[in-house]
Amino acid sequence: GIETNRVGVSGISSGAHLSLMIAGSPDSPVNAVAAIAPGTDLTNWGKLGFLFSDDPAIVPFLPALGIDPKAPKSDLEALLQKLSPITLVNAKYPPTLIVHGDGDKLVPLQQSQAMDQALAKAGVEHKLEVIPGGGHDEKTFGPGLMKALQWFKDKLLK
């Protein structure tokens, strides 16, 4: 009973990461996505070659994510590559809004900038909104949710 041409997904932080993964999955039903402060490239976390699993702020979360920080680096790289939404970007990726604070200390703004570049390269309709002074907090999340609502109105209710 749903209108299959009006499916949108959204999330904040890890939920944003999952939303981007779902949007890029083969045979995804998603028609628009809005991601707030997402991790997008877990093998290049803040800079080229720096793994998500090597970030001291992230290490406490690794067991909950099913990641063994003591695994061989090559195994970690392969897993993190598989878990990176940026690897799923292609010309069929749905219209994407990304909102990120420029003061985020947990998820680097570089993550959203990298996804923005990948979407542009693939020719996907997208927008990156940077919240000045926004961190990984309500200063970014609140405005991000409002921007997501408008994005879905524009993309799904036409």
Side-chain angles (χ1 to χ4, degrees):
I2 66 166
E3 294 184 45
T4 58
N5 63 332
R6 292 185 175 182
V7 177
V9 293
S10 183
I12 298 172
S13 192
S14 60
H17 169 266
L18 291 173
S19 294
L20 293 171
M21 292 294 290
I22 292 165
S25 297
D27 302 320
S28 172
V30 174
N31 305 103
V33 60
I36 303 163
T40 64
D41 185 354
L42 307 184
T43 60
N44 297 294
W45 190 253
K47 61 183 176 182
L48 288 178
F50 185 73
L51 299 180
F52 169 81
S53 56
D54 290 337
D55 185 336
I58 299 297
V59 169
F61 301 107
L62 294 178
L65 300 171
I67 297 173
D68 178 4
K70 295 178 182 170
K73 186 166 183 162
S74 60
D75 291 354
L76 282 171
E77 287 175 343
L79 175 61
L80 294 173
Q81 182 79 12
K82 186 178 176 183
L83 297 175
S84 294
I86 201 166
T87 64
L88 302 174
V89 172
N90 61 59
K92 293 182 180 179
Y93 206 87
T96 303
L97 170 68
I98 304 171
V99 181
H100 210 118
D102 67 3
D104 195 325
K105 301 272 190 258
L106 185 62
V107 178
L109 175 58
Q110 168 270 346
Q111 291 291 291
S112 290
Q113 292 167 329
M115 189 70 169
D116 179 64
Q117 291 170 357
L119 293 165
K121 185 176 180 182
V124 174
E125 181 183 357
H126 70 287
K127 185 175 188 179
L128 171 60
E129 292 263 352
V130 177
I131 306 295
H136 206 77
D137 55 24
E138 185 55 35
K139 187 165 184 181
T140 299
F141 302 160
L145 288 171
M146 298 310 295
K147 291 175 186 295
L149 286 172
Q150 188 59 52
W151 183 258
F152 290 137
K153 285 179 185 176
D154 293 346
K155 303 304 168 201
L156 302 176
L157 298 180
K158 289 182 179 177

